Amino acid sequence: MPHDRSAHGPARRSFLSRLAAGAGAFGAAFVGASPAAAQPSRAAAPGFVPARHPEDDWFDDTTAGHRFFYDTMTADACGQALYFARNFFAANASGYKLTDADVAQIICLRHASTAFAFTDAMWVKYGAALSARAGNFLDPKTKQIPTTNVYLASSYGEALRNVNVTIEQMAKRGVRFAVCGLATRATAQVAAQQTGGNVDAIVKELTSNLVPNGHMVPAGIVAVSRAQERGYTFAYVD
């Protein structure tokens, strides 16, 4: 016998209408909600602020408006950085009318370039060790182990990449030199093996005979990091 739906029709349609309306309202509320409102509130992460250490305060010993840091790791790079430092002074003077005091420059001497952080007296005494640590560097004139710091001399011309721009010249204009402590100790170890000396005594001797404006740092790679945290523009010199 056919089922009579008429008795249930209005009630059924009313129920379905209410269900549809409720679903529509729920959907509208869901769609209208923003992702931020749907997620638990989360505090914004603060910007990174580098930690400060008194050992690094020497980076701020300048009133210059521009700061530049050269990273060197080889004998050639040391010479090239000296040449670049001279050019940086010259271009800022000609292009911006700035003086040497307006630009702060630091040359980092680390790894194989650390050998050139020491005076002629150290090259006389420990030339073999310094040469070995500088990648078996030889004097381009004599083709022998140097007995002077060649980057303190102004007589090599095109034979060296500094083209007669010396450490002393740049130091007088305000360039400073960050000297790697780890590489200095490694040099002292080689010197001690060669001479039978004491490593700690040689380290003390080397660090007491730095080139002008030389500043010892725990490690050159640490100075690379700290300089950028103190606002220095970074350049790797090859």
Side-chain angles (χ1 to χ4, degrees), residues 147-188:
T147 55
T148 61
N149 183 337
V150 297
Y151 289 124
L152 288 170
S154 59
S155 57
Y156 283 86
E158 297 288 339
L160 291 171
R161 293 177 72 183
N162 62 319
V163 194
N164 289 341
V165 180
T166 70
I167 288 174
E168 189 170 15
Q169 289 171 5
M170 291 297 96
K172 287 180 177 179
R173 297 181 68 174
V175 175
R176 293 176 289 171
F177 301 87
V179 183
C180 179
L182 291 181
T184 298
R185 175 161 288 275
T187 300

Side-chain angles (χ1 to χ4, degrees), residues 4-230:
D4 182 3
R5 301 182 181 179
S6 61
H8 304 285
R12 186 170 184 273
R13 285 194 297 272
S14 176
F15 170 75
L16 293 175
S17 297
R18 290 196 302 272
L19 180 62
F26 174 78
F30 181 78
V31 171
S34 66
Q39 296 293 328
S41 60
R42 183 180 301 171
F48 171 71
V49 177
R52 293 296 180 109
H53 308 280
E55 294 86 350
D56 302 322
D57 285 345
W58 71 281
F59 286 109
D60 292 327
D61 289 342
T62 178
T63 59
H66 301 280
R67 298 180 173 192
F68 205 178
F69 184 93
Y70 306 85
D71 181 25
T72 73
M73 294 179 61
T74 66
D76 280 351
C78 176
Q80 191 77 86
L82 290 167
Y83 188 76
F84 288 163
R86 192 278 306 272
N87 287 354
F88 195 69
F89 280 133
N92 276 285
S94 63
Y96 299 88
K97 310 305 178 188
L98 300 180
T99 68
D100 289 357
D102 293 319
V103 292
Q105 299 191 75
I106 296 175
I107 296 175
C108 184
L109 302 174
R110 67 183 182 100
H111 199 57
S113 69
T114 308
F116 303 99
F118 309 109
T119 63
D120 287 345
M122 295 297 94
W123 278 88
V124 170
K125 190 169 184 179
Y126 301 116
L130 291 167
S131 171
R133 287 292 303 169
N136 295 317
F137 179 83
L138 299 179
D139 187 312
K141 288 183 178 179
T142 67
K143 309 303 180 185
Q144 302 295 319
I145 291 173
T147 55
T148 61
N149 183 337
V150 297
Y151 289 124
L152 288 170
S154 59
S155 57
Y156 283 86
E158 297 288 339
L160 291 171
R161 293 177 72 183
N162 62 319
V163 194
N164 289 341
V165 180
T166 70
I167 288 174
E168 189 170 15
Q169 289 171 5
M170 291 297 96
K172 287 180 177 179
R173 297 181 68 174
V175 175
R176 293 176 289 171
F177 301 87
V179 183
C180 179
L182 291 181
T184 298
R185 175 161 288 275
T187 300
Q189 290 170 340
V190 175
Q193 291 171 359
Q194 293 176 344
T195 65
N198 176 269
V199 173
D200 289 336
I202 296 174
V203 167
K204 184 176 181 180
E205 192 174 6
L206 289 171
T207 57
S208 298
N209 286 275
L210 297 178
V211 295
N213 285 1
H215 185 96
M216 292 300 304
V217 296
I221 193 62
V222 173
V224 167
S225 169
R226 299 292 194 267
Q228 292 173 85
E229 292 176 351
R230 297 280 178 144

